[in-house]
Amino acid sequence: TDADIGANGDVRYDFSDASKQFSNTFSIDHRTGHLRLRSALDYEQRTSYVFYIQAKDLGQESRSSQTLINITVLDENDCAPK
C-alpha cells in the first residue's frame, strides 16, 4: 500500500525485467498485485519457480520496491497406472 495521494499513491504491479520470462505461466493483476496461473504446473517439468514482482507508484519521481516470489510445486500422482 502507499498512503500518498494522487499519482504517488497509485501503485502498479508487474514482473521485474528479469522475471518477465514467467509471464507465460503466471499473470499479475497490475492494479491489485494478485498473481494467478495461466496454465497448470507440472512437477515433472519444473519443481519450483523463483522470481520478483515489482510495485511502482505512478508519481513523477516514481518509487518502486520488489519482493521475491518462491513457489514450490508438489509432486502429485497424476499419471494413470500402467
Side-chain angles (χ1 to χ4, degrees), residues 41-52:
L41 303 180
D42 187 355
Y43 179 85
E44 281 76 23
Q45 291 181 348
R46 188 176 191 131
T47 60
S48 66
Y49 295 83
V50 179
F51 55 92
Y52 286 92

Side-chain angles (χ1 to χ4, degrees), residues 29-40:
D29 184 311
H30 298 289
R31 298 201 68 159
T32 65
H34 291 163
L35 195 61
R36 291 189 171 81
L37 284 173
R38 288 187 185 268
S39 59

Side-chain angles (χ1 to χ4, degrees), residues 2-71:
D2 191 337
D4 291 335
I5 59 172
N8 287 337
D10 195 3
V11 179
R12 292 292 183 260
Y13 302 89
D14 205 350
F15 294 94
S16 69
D17 288 340
S19 298
K20 296 235 186 254
Q21 63 183 341
F22 297 108
S23 63
N24 291 333
T25 307
F26 300 96
S27 67
I28 187 165
D29 184 311
H30 298 289
R31 298 201 68 159
T32 65
H34 291 163
L35 195 61
R36 291 189 171 81
L37 284 173
R38 288 187 185 268
S39 59
L41 303 180
D42 187 355
Y43 179 85
E44 281 76 23
Q45 291 181 348
R46 188 176 191 131
T47 60
S48 66
Y49 295 83
V50 179
F51 55 92
Y52 286 92
I53 296 294
Q54 179 175 317
K56 183 177 182 179
D57 71 27
L58 299 179
Q60 283 191 353
E61 294 183 29
S62 183
R63 294 192 174 257
S64 66
S65 184
Q66 57 184 5
T67 191
L68 178 69
I69 305 296
N70 187 345
I71 298 171

